[in-house]
Structure formats: C-alpha cells, structure tokens
C-alpha cells in the first residue's frame, strides 16, 4: 500500500499533474520506493475512484491537475501515525552469507568485497545527490534530506560490515567450517556413486 501513500504524500504538499508528479517522484522517492510511470498513473486513477484524490483543474491537451481530498489527507495521517512500518523482510545478499561455507574462502571473500564495493558506490551516489540537490524549505526537501541521511549511514555501515566479513571468512575458524561442509558434501556424493542402479530398490 505504500505507493498509494507515497502519491498521497506528494499531493499533500501541492497539487500536481501526473507528469509533474512523476518528475517529483523520481527526484525524491524513487531511491526509497521505486515505481514505474504506469504504476503511478494507475495509482492516481485508483485514488481518484476512492475519493482520496480529485481532479482540481484541467489544462491543454487533456492535462489534469490532481489534489488530495480531506479523506485522502485523513488516510495519509492514519498511515503515518497508526500503521506500523513493515520494514524489509527479505535480504537476498545476507541470505547467501549463511551458506558461504559451500564455496572456497577466496570465493566467499570475493563475494563480500563485491558487496562492500556496491555499498561504497551507493554511498557515493547519495553523497553526490546531497551535494547537488537544491535543498529548500518545502516539506519533501526538508524531510527528504533526513531520509537521505539514513541512506548515507546505512551504506557506510554495510561497507564496513562487508569488509569486516571478508576478513572473517578467511579466519581459521571459518576455513575449518568451510572444509567440513565441503568434505561432507564430497562424502555424500561418493556414497551415491557407490550405489549402482537397482541396488537401492
């Protein structure tokens, strides 16, 4: 439901056409909650049907300007104050860390250093945004800067952790765990090869 509330939030600051809304979305929210143009326009239609948004003005070539309604503002306030954020439930990269003992320590280290470089690139992108964006006193700008700080801090933490983990997977303890896992896999494979067709039936 967050795309719905993202659109409501942008319209709560000021009315906008679908085109202007998409530009604002890409400039502010896309790094947190990416959405395609068709998704945003589709959500505008749903919000209008639900009475949370209304067409406030018509322009040339069928241009429509949308504004949040009283019900829409009430829904946005309800979401902000009474609905618990879901947060990320799945992390593909972190899931893989549990099973890095299957590969060699060098392969595990390479994977983790790649994650560190990826986090560093993310941070560099956010730092560039911080330096080049026109931060004014409007709501999306003020609170967007606060959200950006989260990205800066989390990407720095992710890079630091990944570099630490890259050292950990080459430790004696990690090497031993990896060797045991591979040896067990090799043993199981050998046992299967010893069983000829028809012998297990």
């Amino acid at each position: 439901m967050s795309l719905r509330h993202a659109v409501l939030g942008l319209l709560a600051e000021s009315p906008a056409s679908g085109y202007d809304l998409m530009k604002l979305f890409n400039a502010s929210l896309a790094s947190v909650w990416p959405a395609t143009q068709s998704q945003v326009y589709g959500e505008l239609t749903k919000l209008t049907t639900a009475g949370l948004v209304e067409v406030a003005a018509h322009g040339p070539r069928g241009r429509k300007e949308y504004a949040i309604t009283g019900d829409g503002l009430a829904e946005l306030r309800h979401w902000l104050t009474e609905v618990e954020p879901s947060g990320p439930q799945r992390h593909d990269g972190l899931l893989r860390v549990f099973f890095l003992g299957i590969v060699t320590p060098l392969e595990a280290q390479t994977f983790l250093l790649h994650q560190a470089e990826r986090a560093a690139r993310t941070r560099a992108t956010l730092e560039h945004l911080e330096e080049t964006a026109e931060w004014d006193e409007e709501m999306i700008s003020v609170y967007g800067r606060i959200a950006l700080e989260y990205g800066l801090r989390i990407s720095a933490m992710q890079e630091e952790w990944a570099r630490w983990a890259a050292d950990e997977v080459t430790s004696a303890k990690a090497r031993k765990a990896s060797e045991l896992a591979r040896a067990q896999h090799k043993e199981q494979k050998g046992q299967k090869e010893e069983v000829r067709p028809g012998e297990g039936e």
Side-chain angles (χ1 to χ4, degrees):
M1 296 298 289
S2 290
L3 178 57
R4 160 177 286 212
H5 296 99
V7 173
L8 286 173
L10 292 176
L11 292 177
E13 184 165 33
S14 65
S17 66
Y19 174 77
D20 291 335
L21 187 66
M22 195 65 216
K23 283 179 59 179
L24 184 56
F25 194 96
N26 286 332
S28 58
L29 306 183
S31 61
V32 175
W33 201 269
T36 64
Q37 179 174 321
S38 62
Q39 289 173 324
V40 171
Y41 275 79
E43 199 59 56
L44 270 175
T45 300
K46 293 176 185 176
L47 290 169
T48 303
T49 302
L52 303 180
V53 162
E54 64 184 1
V55 177
H58 292 270
R61 295 187 298 276
R63 181 181 183 275
K64 297 178 182 177
E65 188 173 80
Y66 296 88
I68 192 169
T69 64
D71 286 345
L73 189 58
E75 168 61 24
L76 182 60
R77 288 179 181 275
H78 168 75
W79 177 70
L80 286 168
T81 60
E82 299 181 39
V83 178
E84 188 70 21
S86 60
Q89 298 295 318
R90 297 176 178 176
H91 192 306
D92 180 73
L94 202 53
L95 176 63
R96 298 179 193 207
V97 174
F98 283 90
F99 311 114
L100 286 179
I102 299 300
V103 300
T104 67
L106 179 59
E107 288 172 322
Q109 187 178 53
T110 300
F111 169 78
L112 289 162
L113 289 176
H114 175 71
Q115 300 307 304
E117 291 167 3
R118 184 177 177 182
R121 288 195 299 271
T122 298
R123 181 170 174 81
T125 299
L126 294 175
E127 287 175 341
H128 177 72
L129 177 60
E130 182 183 34
E131 294 169 1
T132 58
E134 296 181 5
W135 303 105
D136 53 34
E137 296 180 354
E138 293 184 356
M139 180 188 72
I140 296 298
S141 185
V142 172
Y143 289 93
R145 176 62 189 79
I146 293 173
L148 178 66
E149 183 64 25
Y150 172 86
L152 289 169
R153 294 188 187 199
I154 202 73
S155 58
M157 181 279 293
Q158 288 171 335
E159 180 184 3
E160 180 184 1
W161 170 84
R163 295 194 185 283
W164 168 83
D167 288 336
E168 284 293 302
V169 296
T170 61
S171 69
K173 188 175 183 179
R175 282 179 179 275
K176 184 177 180 180
S178 182
E179 288 169 4
L180 287 173
R182 291 199 304 276
Q184 184 178 13
H185 178 69
K186 188 175 181 181
E187 182 181 344
Q188 290 172 348
K189 184 179 179 181
Q191 289 174 350
K192 288 181 179 179
E193 290 175 351
E194 288 177 3
V195 179
R196 295 178 182 178
E199 291 182 354
E201 295 178 0

